[in-house]
Amino acid sequence: VQATLLIGFALSMWGGATLKPLLEDDSQICIWKTWYHLAFAAVFFVTIALCISCGGIIVSLVLYIKQAAQESALLVSTGAAVANTRRHLSSLNRLFVVSYASFALSAVLLIVLYVGMPARLPTPYPVLERAHM
């Protein structure tokens, strides 16, 4: 269940409302301004892709583990089903940690892209800014 939630949240970060301001070259927060804006955006897109990929692998692996455990329980015994499940849990846990870490990093990068990069926010009162200079 957690993996499907991460996939959903990651896909929403790739949604049009998020991407459109980043990719428009006349936007205040476009990624084409400097090389470091583009670098942050590239890492953001890679971490989102990693999160979605790991989430898909997790969902597929869970389906496989469930099927293999049911087959072992029917053909051999319940102990064999538990042993079959335990054999795959470490790789499943590692993938979930990678997926969660990449999602957390992409969320931080999205905040940095929208708020933290220099010259990203429009000045609401340009007259007041010139008066203080």
Side-chain angles (χ1 to χ4, degrees):
V1 173
Q2 293 88 359
T4 55
L5 286 173
L6 280 177
I7 292 171
F9 287 133
L11 283 173
S12 70
M13 282 192 208
W14 258 358
T18 305
L19 287 185
K20 188 175 179 182
L22 290 175
L23 297 177
E24 289 180 339
D25 48 347
D26 61 344
S27 172
Q28 287 287 334
I29 55 173
C30 76
I31 61 174
W32 311 110
K33 290 185 180 195
T34 59
W35 66 270
Y36 54 88
H37 289 96
L38 193 57
F40 270 94
V43 174
F44 167 71
F45 291 128
V46 167
T47 55
I48 288 292
L50 179 65
C51 177
I52 293 170
S53 300
C54 286
I57 292 170
I58 290 168
V59 170
S60 301
L61 190 58
V62 165
L63 292 173
Y64 167 75
I65 290 171
K66 183 178 177 183
Q67 179 63 32
Q70 287 177 352
E71 187 176 325
S72 296
L74 287 174
L75 297 178
V76 183
S77 69
T78 308
V82 171
N84 198 11
T85 303
R86 283 187 182 159
R87 186 178 64 171
H88 298 289
L89 281 181
S90 64
S91 60
L92 184 66
N93 287 334
R94 278 194 304 266
L95 278 171
F96 186 72
V97 167
V98 169
S99 180
Y100 184 75
S102 63
F103 175 75
L105 179 60
S106 65
V108 168
L109 286 170
L110 185 64
I111 292 170
V112 167
L113 282 169
Y114 269 91
V115 179
M117 297 297 272
R120 299 293 285 207
L121 297 176
T123 329
Y125 305 106
V127 176
L128 292 177
E129 185 175 289
R130 281 188 229 129
H132 291 289
M133 294 179 140

